[in-house]
Amino acid sequence: MPDGESAGGAPASYLFEFRGKGSEYFRIWIVNLALTIITLGVFSAWAKVRTKRYFNGSTFIGDHAFDYHASPLRILVGRTIALALFIAYEVSAAVDPRYALLSLLLIGFAFPWLVNASLRFNARYTSYRNVRFNFTGRYFEAMIAYVIWPIAGFSTLGLLLPAARRARDYFYTNNHTYGGRPFRTEFSAGRVYGLVAIAIGVFILAAAAVFAVVFGTEWLIVNKLLHGHYDPKYSITAVSVATGCFYFLFMSFAPALHTMIVNLCVSNTIFDGRHKLKSRMSPIVVAWITVTNAILTLLTLGFFYPWAKVRLARYEMSKLSLQADGDLDTYVSETLEGQSAVGEEIGSVFSFDFGL
Amino acid sequence: MIDGRYFLPHSARFIAARAELMDGKTLRVCGTDGSVLAEAPFRKVKISSRLGNIARRLTFADGAVFETYDNDGVDDMLAEARRFFHEGWVDRLERSWRTVVVSVLLAGAVGAAFFVWGLPAIALQLALHTPADVAKLMSDQTMSAIDSAYLKRSKLSPTEQKKAQVLFGRVASHAPRGENGYRLLIRGGGPLKANAFALPDGRVVMTDELWALVKNDDEIEGVFAHEISHVDRAHGLQRVYEASLIPAVIAVVTGDLSQVSQLSVLLPAILVQSAYSRQNEEEADDDAVEILKRMGAKPARFADLLARLNAKNCGKKDCEPGWISDHPETEVRIEHLRAAEGKK
C-alpha cells in the first residue's frame, strides 16, 4: 500500500473493507434508540449522525476510513421544519380536501429540489482522507431522472423501467464529485435490459426447478417406495416446501437484479478520468443475505437489525475495489459556496440511498 | 503524546505525526522527525466525539486534521484541559452493558406498548376525524378498482336482490347510522368467490356466491351486521392510517428514512398489519352480536354460516380465497359467537 509520503504515480489496487462489528453497532443502536424514546424524538438527530459516522468511519479504502461531518442541530432543525410542514398539510387537508391536492401538487414540484438538496447534504458532509465529496445535480436533471423517467417507465407497463434505472444511476453517479473532480459512469441501456432478461430467465428456471424437484420427489416417494400407498401428508409437505421456496425466490428477485445493476454501474465508473471502480458482488449472495436478514429481523422482533445491516455492509464492501492510477493524495477539497441554510436543513431530512 | 496522521489543510496528503497537549492549553502536532506541523490553542480545536472504535478527528481552524485511533489518549487530553462539553457521555452509555440491557428493556416495552395501544389509538382518532368527502373519494376509487379487476355483474334474480336489500335495511336500522347510513351492493364474486366487505363510506359489498350459501335470514344478517360494524368503527380507514404510520415508526427505530423500503423492515410491518386486522375482526364480531340481539336474531346462526363457509373452503386442501381466509382463526370465532348467544 502506498502511503502519503511516497511520491510517484504507480498504479495501485485498493480494497474496500467494512470493519464495523454487529455487537458494537448493536450497542450504539439500542442506546441511541432508548435516548430517542426518552427525549421524545429530539435525540434522533444525534442518533442519525452517530449511525452515519459509525458506518462511514468503519468503511475503509486501503488504510483510510470515510467520515461524516453533519451537525445534529442542523438535522434537528430540518426535522422540525418537516414535521411542521406535515402537520400543516394534515390540518389543511382536514379543513378542506382540496388543500391536500394543492399541497400534493406543490410537493410534486418540490420533489426534484428535495432530491438534490438531500444528495448534496449527504455528499458535502461525507469525506475521505480529509477531502469532501459534493453533488452537483440540477433541478431539471433531477426532474428528468426522478419524475419524467419513472412516469415513462410505468406508463409503458415497465418496458422503459430499465432505461429509467440507467437514467437515475447516471444522474446519481455523474453528479458526484470528490475534491471537485468528477465521477463518470457509462454503460448502454441495452446492458441493463440484458441483466433484466437474465434475472427473469433465471427466476423462471429456478421456479421450474423447485416445482420439478419438489413434486418429482413426492411422486417418487409416493409411487415407488410406498407401493402406491398414498398419504396426503406427503402432498402437504411438498406443497409447503414448494411454497417456501417460491417465497424465497420472489423475495430474492429484486435484490438480485439490483445487485447486478449496481455492479454494472460501479464497474463502469471512472473517477477523475483515471481511477477505476470495480464491484463484483454476487447477486445470489446478496439475495441470500437480504432474505435471511429479513427473516432473522422478524424472528427477533427487530433486535437483529444492527447485525443485519453490518452483515450486508461487510459483504458489499468486500467486493468493491478501486484501481488507482497514481496517488490519491493530490486531491484537495474544493471551496464551496454555502448551500442555503433552509435547503440544507430540509435536505437533511431525507436520505436517498444508492446501493453502493 | 498520541500517534496519528496529520492531514494538510483540506488536503488528502498526510504525514505520520504525534500530538501533545502543552500545559493543558496548547495542542502541538509534530512529525516523526520532531518538526512542528501545527500548533493551536486546544479549546479552538474541534474534536469529534468518541464512537465505537472509529478514528477520532481533531480539526484545526485552517482545515488541517489530526486523525488518531488513540481514543483514550484524546479523552485524557480532554480531561486534562477540563473540556467536558462533548458527547462523551453517549459513548460511555454505549459501552456500558448495564445501559445496553436497560435500553433493550425500555425499547422493547415502549415498542410493545406503542404497537398494542398507541398506534391503533392514533389511527382510530385520525380515522374518526376523516371528513366524509375524503372517505367517499377513497371508497369510490377502491370500488372502481375492485369492480374492474375482480367483480362481475350480479346474477341474482330481482326478487332475491330485493330480499337481500330488505334484510340489509333491517340490520342497518338497528345500527348507529340508521337505514340511510349504509348501502348494500350485490356483485358476482369472480375470483373473490363467497365474500363480503365494507368500504369506509358505508357501502357493503356482498357476492352472489355468499348469498347462495345462506340457509336462514339470521345468517346473512350476521354478515351484514359484521360489515356494518367495520364501517362504524372506521376499520378500513384505520388500516390505511396504520399503514402510513408504520414507515414513520421504522424511520425512528432504524434512525433512517431510507431503510423503509428495505425488505428486513417491510416484512415485520406486514405482520403487524395482519395482527391489527385480527383484532378488528373480533371487534366486528362482538358488535354484530349486539346488533343481532337487538333485532331479536340469533348470533349462533351467523356462526353456522361461518362453519359452513369454513367447511366449504377449507375442506380437503388449502383454504380457497374467500370471506374466511382473511378472517383468521375461524373456529375460535365460531365458538365465541355461539357462546355469546347464551349470554344476555
Side-chain angles (χ1 to χ4, degrees), chain A residues 22-36 43 47 50-51 54-55 297 300-307 309, chain B residues 51 94 100 103-104 107-108 250-256:
Chain A
S23 55
E24 198 172 53
Y25 177 50
F26 172 76
R27 290 189 282 178
I28 294 168
W29 171 74
I30 196 70
V31 168
N32 281 276
L33 180 59
L35 289 172
T36 300
F43 194 79
R50 287 184 82 78
T51 304
Y54 183 74
F55 274 82
T297 306
T300 56
L301 301 173
F303 286 106
F304 184 72
Y305 170 77
W307 280 278
K309 229 182 137 180
Chain B
L51 175 63
E94 285 163 358
V100 168
S103 299
V104 168
I250 291 168
V252 170
V253 171
T254 64
D256 202 345

mmCIF file of all heavy atoms in Angstrom, chain A residues 22-36 43 47 50-51 54-55 297 300-307 309, chain B residues 51 94 100 103-104 107-108 250-256:
data_model
loop_
_atom_site.group_PDB
_atom_site.id
_atom_site.type_symbol
_atom_site.label_atom_id
_atom_site.label_comp_id
_atom_site.label_asym_id
_atom_site.label_seq_id
_atom_site.Cartn_x
_atom_site.Cartn_y
_atom_site.Cartn_z
ATOM 1 N N GLY A 22 -21.123 -6.178 14.412
ATOM 2 C CA GLY A 22 -22.540 -6.218 14.773
ATOM 3 C C GLY A 22 -22.775 -5.892 16.237
ATOM 4 O O GLY A 22 -23.651 -5.107 16.586
ATOM 5 N N SER A 23 -21.939 -6.488 17.114
ATOM 6 C CA SER A 23 -22.170 -6.281 18.543
ATOM 7 C C SER A 23 -21.921 -4.820 18.919
ATOM 8 O O SER A 23 -22.603 -4.255 19.779
ATOM 9 C CB SER A 23 -21.255 -7.193 19.353
ATOM 10 O OG SER A 23 -19.921 -6.979 18.972
ATOM 11 N N GLU A 24 -20.926 -4.206 18.259
ATOM 12 C CA GLU A 24 -20.604 -2.804 18.551
ATOM 13 C C GLU A 24 -21.741 -1.894 18.081
ATOM 14 O O GLU A 24 -22.199 -1.008 18.819
ATOM 15 C CB GLU A 24 -19.307 -2.445 17.825
ATOM 16 C CG GLU A 24 -18.625 -1.212 18.353
ATOM 17 C CD GLU A 24 -17.246 -1.049 17.709
ATOM 18 O OE1 GLU A 24 -17.144 -1.058 16.461
ATOM 19 O OE2 GLU A 24 -16.276 -0.901 18.457
ATOM 20 N N TYR A 25 -22.213 -2.154 16.852
ATOM 21 C CA TYR A 25 -23.284 -1.316 16.321
ATOM 22 C C TYR A 25 -24.583 -1.541 17.093
ATOM 23 O O TYR A 25 -25.369 -0.617 17.270
ATOM 24 C CB TYR A 25 -23.485 -1.572 14.827
ATOM 25 C CG TYR A 25 -24.634 -0.779 14.252
ATOM 26 C CD1 TYR A 25 -24.739 0.595 14.482
ATOM 27 C CD2 TYR A 25 -25.633 -1.385 13.510
ATOM 28 C CE1 TYR A 25 -25.791 1.328 13.991
ATOM 29 C CE2 TYR A 25 -26.694 -0.669 13.015
ATOM 30 C CZ TYR A 25 -26.774 0.688 13.258
ATOM 31 O OH TYR A 25 -27.831 1.407 12.780
ATOM 32 N N PHE A 26 -24.783 -2.791 17.559
ATOM 33 C CA PHE A 26 -25.991 -3.070 18.338
ATOM 34 C C PHE A 26 -26.075 -2.149 19.548
ATOM 35 O O PHE A 26 -27.109 -1.560 19.839
ATOM 36 C CB PHE A 26 -26.023 -4.524 18.804
ATOM 37 C CG PHE A 26 -27.143 -4.815 19.764
ATOM 38 C CD1 PHE A 26 -28.436 -4.936 19.298
ATOM 39 C CD2 PHE A 26 -26.906 -4.947 21.116
ATOM 40 C CE1 PHE A 26 -29.488 -5.196 20.159
ATOM 41 C CE2 PHE A 26 -27.953 -5.201 21.994
ATOM 42 C CZ PHE A 26 -29.240 -5.325 21.516
ATOM 43 N N ARG A 27 -24.952 -2.013 20.258
ATOM 44 C CA ARG A 27 -24.962 -1.182 21.471
ATOM 45 C C ARG A 27 -25.209 0.279 21.140
ATOM 46 O O ARG A 27 -25.943 0.972 21.833
ATOM 47 C CB ARG A 27 -23.644 -1.357 22.231
ATOM 48 C CG ARG A 27 -23.556 -2.747 22.846
ATOM 49 C CD ARG A 27 -22.395 -2.875 23.750
ATOM 50 N NE ARG A 27 -21.164 -3.048 23.013
ATOM 51 C CZ ARG A 27 -19.980 -3.153 23.600
ATOM 52 N NH1 ARG A 27 -19.898 -3.077 24.906
ATOM 53 N NH2 ARG A 27 -18.903 -3.318 22.879
ATOM 54 N N ILE A 28 -24.576 0.738 20.044
ATOM 55 C CA ILE A 28 -24.796 2.126 19.633
ATOM 56 C C ILE A 28 -26.265 2.333 19.271
ATOM 57 O O ILE A 28 -26.910 3.283 19.706
ATOM 58 C CB ILE A 28 -23.882 2.458 18.427
ATOM 59 C CG1 ILE A 28 -22.416 2.420 18.870
ATOM 60 C CG2 ILE A 28 -24.239 3.800 17.817
ATOM 61 C CD1 ILE A 28 -21.438 2.435 17.725
ATOM 62 N N TRP A 29 -26.800 1.380 18.492
ATOM 63 C CA TRP A 29 -28.180 1.489 18.008
ATOM 64 C C TRP A 29 -29.176 1.495 19.164
ATOM 65 O O TRP A 29 -30.034 2.375 19.246
ATOM 66 C CB TRP A 29 -28.441 0.316 17.061
ATOM 67 C CG TRP A 29 -29.853 0.155 16.628
ATOM 68 C CD1 TRP A 29 -30.524 0.947 15.727
ATOM 69 C CD2 TRP A 29 -30.785 -0.852 17.046
ATOM 70 N NE1 TRP A 29 -31.806 0.483 15.569
ATOM 71 C CE2 TRP A 29 -31.989 -0.617 16.362
ATOM 72 C CE3 TRP A 29 -30.710 -1.935 17.922
ATOM 73 C CZ2 TRP A 29 -33.116 -1.419 16.529
ATOM 74 C CZ3 TRP A 29 -31.833 -2.726 18.084
ATOM 75 C CH2 TRP A 29 -33.015 -2.470 17.393
ATOM 76 N N ILE A 30 -29.053 0.537 20.069
ATOM 77 C CA ILE A 30 -30.078 0.389 21.115
ATOM 78 C C ILE A 30 -30.018 1.552 22.105
ATOM 79 O O ILE A 30 -31.050 2.068 22.537
ATOM 80 C CB ILE A 30 -29.981 -0.994 21.816
ATOM 81 C CG1 ILE A 30 -31.262 -1.284 22.602
ATOM 82 C CG2 ILE A 30 -28.784 -1.108 22.726
ATOM 83 C CD1 ILE A 30 -32.468 -1.558 21.740
ATOM 84 N N VAL A 31 -28.809 1.996 22.437
ATOM 85 C CA VAL A 31 -28.702 3.115 23.373
ATOM 86 C C VAL A 31 -29.251 4.391 22.738
ATOM 87 O O VAL A 31 -29.992 5.153 23.376
ATOM 88 C CB VAL A 31 -27.239 3.303 23.840
ATOM 89 C CG1 VAL A 31 -27.075 4.621 24.573
ATOM 90 C CG2 VAL A 31 -26.815 2.147 24.723
ATOM 91 N N ASN A 32 -28.936 4.600 21.462
ATOM 92 C CA ASN A 32 -29.443 5.797 20.788
ATOM 93 C C ASN A 32 -30.955 5.738 20.625
ATOM 94 O O ASN A 32 -31.643 6.752 20.704
ATOM 95 C CB ASN A 32 -28.754 5.978 19.434
ATOM 96 C CG ASN A 32 -27.369 6.571 19.592
ATOM 97 O OD1 ASN A 32 -27.212 7.775 19.696
ATOM 98 N ND2 ASN A 32 -26.356 5.727 19.657
ATOM 99 N N LEU A 33 -31.473 4.523 20.389
ATOM 100 C CA LEU A 33 -32.919 4.364 20.273
ATOM 101 C C LEU A 33 -33.593 4.690 21.612
ATOM 102 O O LEU A 33 -34.603 5.406 21.661
ATOM 103 C CB LEU A 33 -33.245 2.926 19.845
ATOM 104 C CG LEU A 33 -34.727 2.580 19.668
ATOM 105 C CD1 LEU A 33 -35.353 3.484 18.619
ATOM 106 C CD2 LEU A 33 -34.885 1.123 19.273
ATOM 107 N N ALA A 34 -33.001 4.189 22.702
ATOM 108 C CA ALA A 34 -33.563 4.449 24.020
ATOM 109 C C ALA A 34 -33.528 5.953 24.319
ATOM 110 O O ALA A 34 -34.507 6.523 24.820
ATOM 111 C CB ALA A 34 -32.803 3.669 25.086
ATOM 112 N N LEU A 35 -32.412 6.599 23.985
ATOM 113 C CA LEU A 35 -32.315 8.050 24.223
ATOM 114 C C LEU A 35 -33.336 8.802 23.377
ATOM 115 O O LEU A 35 -33.912 9.800 23.816
ATOM 116 C CB LEU A 35 -30.895 8.535 23.906
ATOM 117 C CG LEU A 35 -29.824 8.091 24.915
ATOM 118 C CD1 LEU A 35 -28.436 8.447 24.404
ATOM 119 C CD2 LEU A 35 -30.060 8.748 26.266
ATOM 120 N N THR A 36 -33.571 8.321 22.131
ATOM 121 C CA THR A 36 -34.573 8.950 21.273
ATOM 122 C C THR A 36 -35.956 8.833 21.898
ATOM 123 O O THR A 36 -36.738 9.782 21.894
ATOM 124 C CB THR A 36 -34.564 8.282 19.883
ATOM 125 O OG1 THR A 36 -33.269 8.441 19.307
ATOM 126 C CG2 THR A 36 -35.593 8.913 18.955
ATOM 127 N N PHE A 43 -33.556 13.425 20.361
ATOM 128 C CA PHE A 43 -32.207 12.867 20.223
ATOM 129 C C PHE A 43 -32.002 12.176 18.875
ATOM 130 O O PHE A 43 -30.871 11.853 18.504
ATOM 131 C CB PHE A 43 -31.917 11.886 21.363
ATOM 132 C CG PHE A 43 -30.473 11.511 21.498
ATOM 133 C CD1 PHE A 43 -29.580 12.366 22.122
ATOM 134 C CD2 PHE A 43 -29.991 10.325 20.965
ATOM 135 C CE1 PHE A 43 -28.233 12.045 22.226
ATOM 136 C CE2 PHE A 43 -28.652 9.993 21.060
ATOM 137 C CZ PHE A 43 -27.771 10.856 21.695
ATOM 138 N N ALA A 47 -28.698 10.627 17.030
ATOM 139 C CA ALA A 47 -28.643 9.200 16.704
ATOM 140 C C ALA A 47 -28.297 9.008 15.235
ATOM 141 O O ALA A 47 -27.480 8.166 14.875
ATOM 142 C CB ALA A 47 -29.980 8.536 17.024
ATOM 143 N N ARG A 50 -24.621 9.799 14.650
ATOM 144 C CA ARG A 50 -23.740 8.766 15.201
ATOM 145 C C ARG A 50 -23.765 7.503 14.342
ATOM 146 O O ARG A 50 -22.726 6.894 14.102
ATOM 147 C CB ARG A 50 -24.128 8.446 16.654
ATOM 148 C CG ARG A 50 -23.735 9.548 17.628
ATOM 149 C CD ARG A 50 -24.036 9.198 19.066
ATOM 150 N NE ARG A 50 -23.017 8.352 19.698
ATOM 151 C CZ ARG A 50 -21.854 8.787 20.143
ATOM 152 N NH1 ARG A 50 -21.529 10.058 20.010
ATOM 153 N NH2 ARG A 50 -20.994 7.962 20.712
ATOM 154 N N THR A 51 -24.948 7.129 13.862
ATOM 155 C CA THR A 51 -25.054 5.956 12.984
ATOM 156 C C THR A 51 -24.255 6.158 11.709
ATOM 157 O O THR A 51 -23.476 5.303 11.287
ATOM 158 C CB THR A 51 -26.532 5.709 12.625
ATOM 159 O OG1 THR A 51 -27.274 5.579 13.816
ATOM 160 C CG2 THR A 51 -26.686 4.459 11.782
ATOM 161 N N TYR A 54 -20.631 6.092 12.354
ATOM 162 C CA TYR A 54 -20.138 4.749 12.604
ATOM 163 C C TYR A 54 -19.941 3.993 11.300
ATOM 164 O O TYR A 54 -18.919 3.332 11.105
ATOM 165 C CB TYR A 54 -21.094 3.968 13.518
ATOM 166 C CG TYR A 54 -20.565 2.600 13.853
ATOM 167 C CD1 TYR A 54 -19.513 2.465 14.749
ATOM 168 C CD2 TYR A 54 -21.055 1.465 13.233
ATOM 169 C CE1 TYR A 54 -18.982 1.229 15.036
ATOM 170 C CE2 TYR A 54 -20.542 0.214 13.511
ATOM 171 C CZ TYR A 54 -19.498 0.105 14.417
ATOM 172 O OH TYR A 54 -18.954 -1.119 14.697
ATOM 173 N N PHE A 55 -20.924 4.105 10.398
ATOM 174 C CA PHE A 55 -20.805 3.360 9.138
ATOM 175 C C PHE A 55 -19.734 3.951 8.241
ATOM 176 O O PHE A 55 -18.953 3.217 7.643
ATOM 177 C CB PHE A 55 -22.169 3.262 8.435
ATOM 178 C CG PHE A 55 -22.941 2.098 8.943
ATOM 179 C CD1 PHE A 55 -23.659 2.202 10.119
ATOM 180 C CD2 PHE A 55 -22.898 0.869 8.302
ATOM 181 C CE1 PHE A 55 -24.336 1.110 10.643
ATOM 182 C CE2 PHE A 55 -23.569 -0.225 8.812
ATOM 183 C CZ PHE A 55 -24.298 -0.105 9.981
ATOM 184 N N THR A 297 -34.558 -10.718 11.328
ATOM 185 C CA THR A 297 -35.047 -9.495 11.966
ATOM 186 C C THR A 297 -36.471 -9.706 12.461
ATOM 187 O O THR A 297 -36.844 -9.282 13.559
ATOM 188 C CB THR A 297 -34.997 -8.314 10.977
ATOM 189 O OG1 THR A 297 -33.672 -8.208 10.466
ATOM 190 C CG2 THR A 297 -35.377 -7.011 11.655
ATOM 191 N N THR A 300 -36.572 -12.039 15.582
ATOM 192 C CA THR A 300 -36.029 -11.447 16.807
ATOM 193 C C THR A 300 -36.766 -10.157 17.175
ATOM 194 O O THR A 300 -36.261 -9.364 17.961
ATOM 195 C CB THR A 300 -34.540 -11.119 16.633
ATOM 196 O OG1 THR A 300 -34.411 -10.269 15.484
ATOM 197 C CG2 THR A 300 -33.714 -12.371 16.431
ATOM 198 N N LEU A 301 -37.937 -9.947 16.573
ATOM 199 C CA LEU A 301 -38.728 -8.734 16.823
ATOM 200 C C LEU A 301 -37.917 -7.463 16.582
ATOM 201 O O LEU A 301 -38.078 -6.468 17.282
ATOM 202 C CB LEU A 301 -39.270 -8.728 18.250
ATOM 203 C CG LEU A 301 -40.174 -9.903 18.629
ATOM 204 C CD1 LEU A 301 -40.497 -9.872 20.113
ATOM 205 C CD2 LEU A 301 -41.447 -9.894 17.807
ATOM 206 N N GLY A 302 -37.032 -7.501 15.608
ATOM 207 C CA GLY A 302 -36.299 -6.302 15.237
ATOM 208 C C GLY A 302 -34.904 -6.204 15.819
ATOM 209 O O GLY A 302 -34.087 -5.414 15.351
ATOM 210 N N PHE A 303 -34.602 -7.010 16.844
ATOM 211 C CA PHE A 303 -33.317 -6.829 17.521
ATOM 212 C C PHE A 303 -32.121 -7.315 16.707
ATOM 213 O O PHE A 303 -30.973 -7.010 17.032
ATOM 214 C CB PHE A 303 -33.331 -7.504 18.899
ATOM 215 C CG PHE A 303 -34.139 -6.731 19.895
ATOM 216 C CD1 PHE A 303 -35.385 -7.166 20.303
ATOM 217 C CD2 PHE A 303 -33.669 -5.530 20.389
ATOM 218 C CE1 PHE A 303 -36.150 -6.433 21.200
ATOM 219 C CE2 PHE A 303 -34.417 -4.790 21.284
ATOM 220 C CZ PHE A 303 -35.663 -5.239 21.693
ATOM 221 N N PHE A 304 -32.376 -8.060 15.626
ATOM 222 C CA PHE A 304 -31.270 -8.491 14.776
ATOM 223 C C PHE A 304 -30.843 -7.384 13.805
ATOM 224 O O PHE A 304 -29.775 -7.464 13.193
ATOM 225 C CB PHE A 304 -31.674 -9.745 13.981
ATOM 226 C CG PHE A 304 -30.561 -10.331 13.151
ATOM 227 C CD1 PHE A 304 -29.511 -11.002 13.753
ATOM 228 C CD2 PHE A 304 -30.543 -10.199 11.764
ATOM 229 C CE1 PHE A 304 -28.472 -11.532 13.000
ATOM 230 C CE2 PHE A 304 -29.512 -10.725 11.007
ATOM 231 C CZ PHE A 304 -28.479 -11.401 11.633
ATOM 232 N N TYR A 305 -31.685 -6.347 13.702
ATOM 233 C CA TYR A 305 -31.454 -5.301 12.701
ATOM 234 C C TYR A 305 -30.012 -4.796 12.615
ATOM 235 O O TYR A 305 -29.458 -4.709 11.506
ATOM 236 C CB TYR A 305 -32.433 -4.143 12.939
ATOM 237 C CG TYR A 305 -32.130 -2.920 12.129
ATOM 238 C CD1 TYR A 305 -32.458 -2.856 10.783
ATOM 239 C CD2 TYR A 305 -31.490 -1.826 12.705
ATOM 240 C CE1 TYR A 305 -32.160 -1.749 10.031
ATOM 241 C CE2 TYR A 305 -31.197 -0.705 11.966
ATOM 242 C CZ TYR A 305 -31.532 -0.668 10.629
ATOM 243 O OH TYR A 305 -31.223 0.430 9.894
ATOM 244 N N PRO A 306 -29.339 -4.474 13.737
ATOM 245 C CA PRO A 306 -27.956 -3.973 13.618
ATOM 246 C C PRO A 306 -27.008 -4.994 12.981
ATOM 247 O O PRO A 306 -26.173 -4.621 12.158
ATOM 248 C CB PRO A 306 -27.538 -3.695 15.064
ATOM 249 C CG PRO A 306 -28.791 -3.648 15.837
ATOM 250 C CD PRO A 306 -29.788 -4.492 15.131
ATOM 251 N N TRP A 307 -27.163 -6.266 13.345
ATOM 252 C CA TRP A 307 -26.296 -7.288 12.749
ATOM 253 C C TRP A 307 -26.595 -7.430 11.251
ATOM 254 O O TRP A 307 -25.706 -7.620 10.457
ATOM 255 C CB TRP A 307 -26.500 -8.631 13.458
ATOM 256 C CG TRP A 307 -25.774 -8.725 14.752
ATOM 257 C CD1 TRP A 307 -24.452 -9.050 14.910
ATOM 258 C CD2 TRP A 307 -26.279 -8.480 16.060
ATOM 259 N NE1 TRP A 307 -24.125 -9.030 16.248
ATOM 260 C CE2 TRP A 307 -25.222 -8.689 16.983
ATOM 261 C CE3 TRP A 307 -27.529 -8.120 16.558
ATOM 262 C CZ2 TRP A 307 -25.375 -8.540 18.351
ATOM 263 C CZ3 TRP A 307 -27.679 -7.968 17.926
ATOM 264 C CH2 TRP A 307 -26.617 -8.172 18.807
ATOM 265 N N LYS A 309 -27.616 -5.123 9.225
ATOM 266 C CA LYS A 309 -27.042 -4.003 8.479
ATOM 267 C C LYS A 309 -25.527 -4.171 8.314
ATOM 268 O O LYS A 309 -24.979 -3.943 7.240
ATOM 269 C CB LYS A 309 -27.344 -2.700 9.244
ATOM 270 C CG LYS A 309 -27.922 -1.627 8.343
ATOM 271 C CD LYS A 309 -28.166 -0.341 9.069
ATOM 272 C CE LYS A 309 -27.701 0.797 8.189
ATOM 273 N NZ LYS A 309 -27.873 2.111 8.762
ATOM 274 N N LEU B 51 -16.748 7.312 19.299
ATOM 275 C CA LEU B 51 -17.812 6.450 18.788
ATOM 276 C C LEU B 51 -17.218 5.111 18.390
ATOM 277 O O LEU B 51 -16.428 5.030 17.451
ATOM 278 C CB LEU B 51 -18.479 7.129 17.588
ATOM 279 C CG LEU B 51 -19.542 6.336 16.844
ATOM 280 C CD1 LEU B 51 -20.723 6.029 17.744
ATOM 281 C CD2 LEU B 51 -20.040 7.139 15.640
ATOM 282 N N GLU B 94 -23.034 3.823 25.603
ATOM 283 C CA GLU B 94 -22.993 2.786 24.573
ATOM 284 C C GLU B 94 -22.063 1.646 24.959
ATOM 285 O O GLU B 94 -22.255 0.507 24.556
ATOM 286 C CB GLU B 94 -22.540 3.386 23.227
ATOM 287 C CG GLU B 94 -23.613 4.202 22.531
ATOM 288 C CD GLU B 94 -23.056 5.113 21.451
ATOM 289 O OE1 GLU B 94 -21.815 5.153 21.261
ATOM 290 O OE2 GLU B 94 -23.842 5.799 20.799
ATOM 291 N N VAL B 100 -26.985 -0.855 28.084
ATOM 292 C CA VAL B 100 -27.466 -1.585 26.916
ATOM 293 C C VAL B 100 -28.663 -2.451 27.304
ATOM 294 O O VAL B 100 -29.696 -2.458 26.630
ATOM 295 C CB VAL B 100 -26.340 -2.434 26.293
ATOM 296 C CG1 VAL B 100 -26.904 -3.404 25.263
ATOM 297 C CG2 VAL B 100 -25.299 -1.536 25.651
ATOM 298 N N SER B 103 -31.605 -0.324 27.967
ATOM 299 C CA SER B 103 -32.135 0.190 26.705
ATOM 300 C C SER B 103 -32.961 -0.855 25.989
ATOM 301 O O SER B 103 -34.013 -0.547 25.424
ATOM 302 C CB SER B 103 -30.995 0.644 25.797
ATOM 303 O OG SER B 103 -30.264 1.666 26.403
ATOM 304 N N VAL B 104 -32.476 -2.105 25.995
ATOM 305 C CA VAL B 104 -33.221 -3.183 25.346
ATOM 306 C C VAL B 104 -34.593 -3.319 25.994
ATOM 307 O O VAL B 104 -35.620 -3.386 25.310
ATOM 308 C CB VAL B 104 -32.453 -4.522 25.430
ATOM 309 C CG1 VAL B 104 -33.346 -5.685 25.032
ATOM 310 C CG2 VAL B 104 -31.210 -4.478 24.551
ATOM 311 N N ALA B 107 -36.716 -0.128 25.128
ATOM 312 C CA ALA B 107 -37.167 -0.125 23.740
ATOM 313 C C ALA B 107 -38.211 -1.210 23.521
ATOM 314 O O ALA B 107 -39.222 -0.987 22.843
ATOM 315 C CB ALA B 107 -35.976 -0.327 22.796
ATOM 316 N N GLY B 108 -37.990 -2.377 24.115
ATOM 317 C CA GLY B 108 -38.952 -3.469 23.968
ATOM 318 C C GLY B 108 -40.304 -3.097 24.559
ATOM 319 O O GLY B 108 -41.344 -3.265 23.927
ATOM 320 N N ILE B 250 -40.714 2.965 11.664
ATOM 321 C CA ILE B 250 -39.492 2.308 11.201
ATOM 322 C C ILE B 250 -38.363 3.332 11.078
ATOM 323 O O ILE B 250 -37.224 3.073 11.448
ATOM 324 C CB ILE B 250 -39.734 1.611 9.855
ATOM 325 C CG1 ILE B 250 -40.658 0.411 10.068
ATOM 326 C CG2 ILE B 250 -38.423 1.167 9.223
ATOM 327 C CD1 ILE B 250 -41.181 -0.179 8.792
ATOM 328 N N ALA B 251 -38.721 4.516 10.571
ATOM 329 C CA ALA B 251 -37.707 5.555 10.419
ATOM 330 C C ALA B 251 -37.106 5.925 11.771
ATOM 331 O O ALA B 251 -35.911 6.173 11.886
ATOM 332 C CB ALA B 251 -38.304 6.785 9.737
ATOM 333 N N VAL B 252 -37.947 5.932 12.813
ATOM 334 C CA VAL B 252 -37.435 6.252 14.154
ATOM 335 C C VAL B 252 -36.528 5.125 14.653
ATOM 336 O O VAL B 252 -35.432 5.355 15.150
ATOM 337 C CB VAL B 252 -38.598 6.483 15.138
ATOM 338 C CG1 VAL B 252 -38.076 6.560 16.568
ATOM 339 C CG2 VAL B 252 -39.347 7.751 14.779
ATOM 340 N N VAL B 253 -36.985 3.886 14.491
ATOM 341 C CA VAL B 253 -36.247 2.744 15.032
ATOM 342 C C VAL B 253 -34.905 2.571 14.334
ATOM 343 O O VAL B 253 -33.879 2.342 14.971
ATOM 344 C CB VAL B 253 -37.091 1.457 14.904
ATOM 345 C CG1 VAL B 253 -36.260 0.239 15.261
ATOM 346 C CG2 VAL B 253 -38.306 1.544 15.795
ATOM 347 N N THR B 254 -34.909 2.682 13.002
ATOM 348 C CA THR B 254 -33.658 2.474 12.276
ATOM 349 C C THR B 254 -32.865 3.763 12.173
ATOM 350 O O THR B 254 -31.719 3.741 11.735
ATOM 351 C CB THR B 254 -33.929 1.953 10.857
ATOM 352 O OG1 THR B 254 -34.648 2.957 10.150
ATOM 353 C CG2 THR B 254 -34.729 0.683 10.892
ATOM 354 N N GLY B 255 -33.477 4.881 12.557
ATOM 355 C CA GLY B 255 -32.779 6.157 12.512
ATOM 356 C C GLY B 255 -32.582 6.683 11.098
ATOM 357 O O GLY B 255 -31.791 7.581 10.868
ATOM 358 N N ASP B 256 -33.290 6.105 10.142
ATOM 359 C CA ASP B 256 -33.010 6.474 8.770
ATOM 360 C C ASP B 256 -34.227 6.198 7.895
ATOM 361 O O ASP B 256 -34.738 5.088 7.885
ATOM 362 C CB ASP B 256 -31.816 5.641 8.276
ATOM 363 C CG ASP B 256 -31.141 6.311 7.110
ATOM 364 O OD1 ASP B 256 -31.744 7.230 6.528
ATOM 365 O OD2 ASP B 256 -30.018 5.915 6.790
#
